[in-house]
Amino acid sequence: MRDREDKEVTAFVRARYGSLLRTAFLLCGDRGKAEDLVQTTLAKTVVAWPRLRRSEGVDHYVRRILVNTFVTWRRRRSWWEQPLGRLVETQARDEYVGVEQRDLLRRALDGLPARQRAAVVLRFYEDLSEHDTAHVLGCSVGTVKSLSSRGLQTLRKQWVEADAAADQEVRYA
């Protein structure tokens, strides 16, 4: 029996790991933290696997654990701590606009509160419905609408400011 469960878990991890890692990266903006977030999520999933197999909501459960773990981690002070003695380097400007836009989006997502960020990522990256997003976040559909709206408003504002700064930079270059 245990061998069958191990095979099921292994198959699930192989099928969903890439998607979970991309979602986790969008949530936390750091590859190492995203990998830690997915590992913690999958560890919690393995513990709950026997009861999850009996339900149809494995993907919802895993997404919910991922988001809840992210939100909990963001509340901790250690999430924001940076090691001392490391030089902060500025990135050289890339000639590819897509790279710059993805970086701008990643940094803009970093500025959102955890639940707004989770709502935006689940709704517009994972392409979940408002109902499914509410289920994953454990809140009402109205809260999802509110979180998404405020998150998108903040992202738009940051995008406009970044465009204005880039235009000014080009004029003075």
Side-chain angles (χ1 to χ4, degrees), residues 4-79:
R4 190 173 116 221
E5 284 180 7
D6 288 346
K7 287 180 182 178
E8 288 174 358
V9 170
T10 301
F12 176 80
V13 170
R14 283 189 178 142
R16 298 288 294 145
Y17 184 80
S19 174
L20 290 171
L21 185 60
R22 286 187 296 275
T23 301
F25 179 79
L26 288 171
L27 288 171
C28 61
D30 178 83
R31 172 82 182 200
K33 288 179 182 177
E35 289 171 349
D36 291 345
L37 182 57
V38 171
Q39 182 178 3
T40 301
T41 299
L42 291 175
K44 291 177 181 180
T45 301
V46 168
V47 170
W49 191 259
R51 75 180 154 83
L52 288 177
R53 284 187 314 137
R54 291 187 294 267
S55 71
E56 294 296 319
V58 175
D59 283 330
H60 283 293
Y61 177 85
V62 173
R63 277 195 196 104
R64 187 169 193 162
I65 293 302
L66 183 76
V67 169
N68 287 348
T69 303
F70 165 71
V71 171
T72 300
W73 284 4
R74 284 281 296 247
R75 289 182 184 144
R76 292 183 188 153
R77 182 178 190 99
S78 62
W79 179 269

Side-chain angles (χ1 to χ4, degrees), residues 25-30 74 80 88-94 96-113 117 121 151 154-159 161-163 165-166 169:
F25 179 79
L26 288 171
L27 288 171
C28 61
D30 178 83
R74 284 281 296 247
W80 300 105
V88 177
E89 298 178 18
T90 58
Q91 290 182 327
R93 194 168 177 128
D94 197 319
Y96 298 102
V97 174
V99 173
E100 289 178 356
Q101 289 177 343
R102 284 191 302 274
D103 184 56
L104 177 62
L105 179 60
R106 183 193 54 78
R107 285 186 279 133
L109 282 170
D110 282 343
L112 293 178
R117 184 175 184 162
V121 168
T154 301
L155 291 175
R156 284 186 194 107
K157 180 181 175 191
Q158 290 177 355
W159 200 270
E161 290 171 358
D163 277 347
E169 187 177 299

